[in-house]
Amino acid sequence: MVDHPELPDLDALDRRILRALQVDASQSLDEIARQVGSSKTPVWNRIRKLREAGVIRRQTVILDPQALGLGTCFFVLVRTSEHEAGWQQRFLAALRERPEVLEAHRLAGEVDYILKVRVPDAKGYDAFYQALIRDVRIFDVTALLSMEEIKETTALPL
Amino acid sequence: MVDHPELPDLDALDRRILRALQVDASQSLDEIARQVGSSKTPVWNRIRKLREAGVIRRQTVILDPQALGLGTCFFVLVRTSEHEAGWQQRFLAALRERPEVLEAHRLAGEVDYILKVRVPDAKGYDAFYQALIRDVRIFDVTALLSMEEIKETTALPL
DNA sequence: GCTGAAAAAGACTGTTC
DNA sequence: GAACAGTCTTTTTCAGC
């Protein structure tokens, strides 16, 4: 599980394997081999290499946020006036620490950062927001509340 | 794998199991049992129930977008003037069809939708954008380009 | 690099406490 | 419910092509 040893050239079989794994990673090697039109050993060798190359980062379960009492999702647009290294360090550290922040991107353009945050309810968001602005100075925050998840996938197009 | 048979009450052990699975779903039952301070049989029974109840939705692999030539990520804010059922149907169908759309939410407030889109490069985004506005009439689109992924997790806080 | 087989590990079932 | 033991599937390794 090295970071990026080399950029691997993926052939059609590799891609078919990755596609099958993205759909369901609990399938047996036999099933995957059948689906991709190959057999056990080559599929196994390729999966091992894709893992080592870091193309496959990890294997995980996707949970239902509703069932876990995290039914509320916000996208948060953050503008800041501060751009020194010290401020950014603290801001990034704060985001990484907070488990309700599922995604954080630094952006090009007017908006500096976007966050995806999952909380139990609006009150939970407010608590997160208050804690965040206590930690770091922020110029402007716009919270976009998700009313409905139209689509949600981890599957990259291959 | 039923949709939502009943809302299950999760106890501390369930949560520890889910936490372990979110970190690494390829671990053996024995490993998980050891981590959560239990043993094989109860852990297995609970995982089966969590699956059936839909708390565990699926098991998948997380791939490296860079390695697959999808290094460019946009968040797209969509405003529309049209709110009839027919338009919305076509819009949602268009989003669901397009594999480069990884997430789509309907929002409360001024911005109507937010999309997360992964493409090879800016040109790829333009192709997506042109195709989208050809399919459905959209009032206003703002594309936010991600410069850096600060954080990216599928793990819900438990 | 593939095939096929054999060994090792782990998942799943049922019976008992 | 949980422990245990047994079976059966799947993973993993390896020799031969």
Side-chain angles (χ1 to χ4, degrees), chain A residues 83-129:
Chain A
H83 293 281
E84 329 88 58
W87 180 90
Q88 202 181 345
Q89 289 303 317
R90 286 206 312 286
F91 183 59
L92 301 196
L95 298 179
R96 293 213 178 91
E97 269 169 22
R98 307 212 145 266
E100 57 269 64
V101 177
L102 302 186
E103 288 193 45
H105 294 249
R106 185 168 59 79
L107 301 175
E110 220 194 316
V111 181
D112 295 302
Y113 297 93
I114 188 169
L115 319 179
K116 182 185 169 191
V117 178
R118 273 215 171 270
V119 283
D121 48 30
K123 205 174 143 187
Y125 173 72
D126 195 52
F128 161 76
Y129 171 74

Side-chain angles (χ1 to χ4, degrees), chain A:
Chain A
M1 206 81 72
V2 191
D3 262 331
H4 283 283
E6 72 270 352
L7 301 175
D9 291 298
L10 305 175
D11 66 9
L13 181 55
D14 289 321
R15 286 172 187 275
R16 283 202 296 276
I17 293 170
L18 293 174
R19 226 175 278 139
L21 286 175
Q22 284 194 129
V23 171
D24 181 2
S26 74
Q27 295 172 102
S28 73
L29 277 178
D30 273 328
E31 285 175 273
I32 293 168
R34 194 185 43 72
Q35 277 180 49
V36 303
S38 181
S39 56
K40 235 157 75 170
T41 310
V43 169
W44 192 83
N45 281 321
R46 279 157 183 266
I47 290 177
R48 191 177 45 74
K49 278 189 187 143
L50 290 165
R51 252 188 242 283
E52 283 166 6
V55 176
I56 297 174
R57 282 187 175 161
R58 56 210 190 77
Q59 188 163 331
T60 191
V61 290
I62 304 299
L63 306 182
D64 180 359
Q66 308 288 342
L68 295 160
L70 293 165
T72 301
C73 180
F74 281 92
F75 288 88
V76 184
L77 307 179
V78 176
R79 267 168 267 247
T80 179
S81 43
E82 319 211 17
H83 293 281
E84 329 88 58
W87 180 90
Q88 202 181 345
Q89 289 303 317
R90 286 206 312 286
F91 183 59
L92 301 196
L95 298 179
R96 293 213 178 91
E97 269 169 22
R98 307 212 145 266
E100 57 269 64
V101 177
L102 302 186
E103 288 193 45
H105 294 249
R106 185 168 59 79
L107 301 175
E110 220 194 316
V111 181
D112 295 302
Y113 297 93
I114 188 169
L115 319 179
K116 182 185 169 191
V117 178
R118 273 215 171 270
V119 283
D121 48 30
K123 205 174 143 187
Y125 173 72
D126 195 52
F128 161 76
Y129 171 74
Q130 297 295 339
L132 186 66
I133 61 171
R134 194 176 309 125
D135 289 2
V136 291
R137 182 179 298 273
I138 289 171
F139 178 63
D140 183 42
V141 172
T142 305
L144 307 172
L145 170 61
S146 172
M147 290 281 98
E148 184 188 2
E149 276 188 23
I150 296 164
K151 184 173 184 177
E152 171 98 62
T153 182
T154 57
L156 301 177
L158 295 174

Side-chain angles (χ1 to χ4, degrees), chain B residues 25-75:
Chain B
S26 73
Q27 295 173 100
S28 74
L29 277 178
D30 274 328
E31 285 175 273
I32 293 167
R34 194 186 42 74
Q35 275 180 49
V36 303
S38 181
S39 57
K40 232 159 83 166
T41 312
V43 170
W44 192 83
N45 281 320
R46 279 157 183 267
I47 290 177
R48 191 177 43 75
K49 279 190 188 143
L50 290 165
R51 252 187 244 283
E52 283 164 8
V55 178
I56 298 174
R57 282 187 176 160
R58 56 210 189 77
Q59 189 163 331
T60 191
V61 290
I62 304 299
L63 306 181
D64 180 359
Q66 306 289 342
L68 295 160
L70 294 166
T72 302
C73 180
F74 280 93
F75 287 87

Side-chain angles (χ1 to χ4, degrees), chain B:
Chain B
M1 206 80 73
V2 189
D3 262 330
H4 284 285
E6 71 272 351
L7 301 175
D9 290 297
L10 305 174
D11 66 9
L13 181 54
D14 289 321
R15 287 173 186 273
R16 283 203 295 277
I17 292 169
L18 292 174
R19 227 176 278 140
L21 287 174
Q22 284 194 128
V23 172
D24 181 1
S26 73
Q27 295 173 100
S28 74
L29 277 178
D30 274 328
E31 285 175 273
I32 293 167
R34 194 186 42 74
Q35 275 180 49
V36 303
S38 181
S39 57
K40 232 159 83 166
T41 312
V43 170
W44 192 83
N45 281 320
R46 279 157 183 267
I47 290 177
R48 191 177 43 75
K49 279 190 188 143
L50 290 165
R51 252 187 244 283
E52 283 164 8
V55 178
I56 298 174
R57 282 187 176 160
R58 56 210 189 77
Q59 189 163 331
T60 191
V61 290
I62 304 299
L63 306 181
D64 180 359
Q66 306 289 342
L68 295 160
L70 294 166
T72 302
C73 180
F74 280 93
F75 287 87
V76 185
L77 307 179
V78 175
R79 267 168 266 247
T80 179
S81 43
E82 320 212 16
H83 294 281
E84 328 88 60
W87 180 88
Q88 203 181 344
Q89 290 304 317
R90 287 206 312 286
F91 184 59
L92 301 196
L95 297 180
R96 292 214 178 89
E97 269 170 20
R98 308 211 144 268
E100 57 269 63
V101 178
L102 302 186
E103 288 193 46
H105 294 250
R106 185 166 60 77
L107 301 176
E110 222 194 313
V111 180
D112 296 302
Y113 298 94
I114 188 169
L115 320 178
K116 182 185 168 190
V117 178
R118 273 216 170 270
V119 283
D121 47 31
K123 205 173 143 187
Y125 173 72
D126 194 52
F128 161 76
Y129 171 73
Q130 297 295 338
L132 185 67
I133 61 172
R134 194 176 309 126
D135 288 1
V136 290
R137 182 178 299 271
I138 290 171
F139 178 64
D140 182 42
V141 172
T142 304
L144 307 172
L145 170 61
S146 171
M147 291 281 98
E148 184 188 2
E149 276 186 25
I150 295 163
K151 184 174 184 177
E152 171 99 63
T153 182
T154 57
L156 301 178
L158 295 174

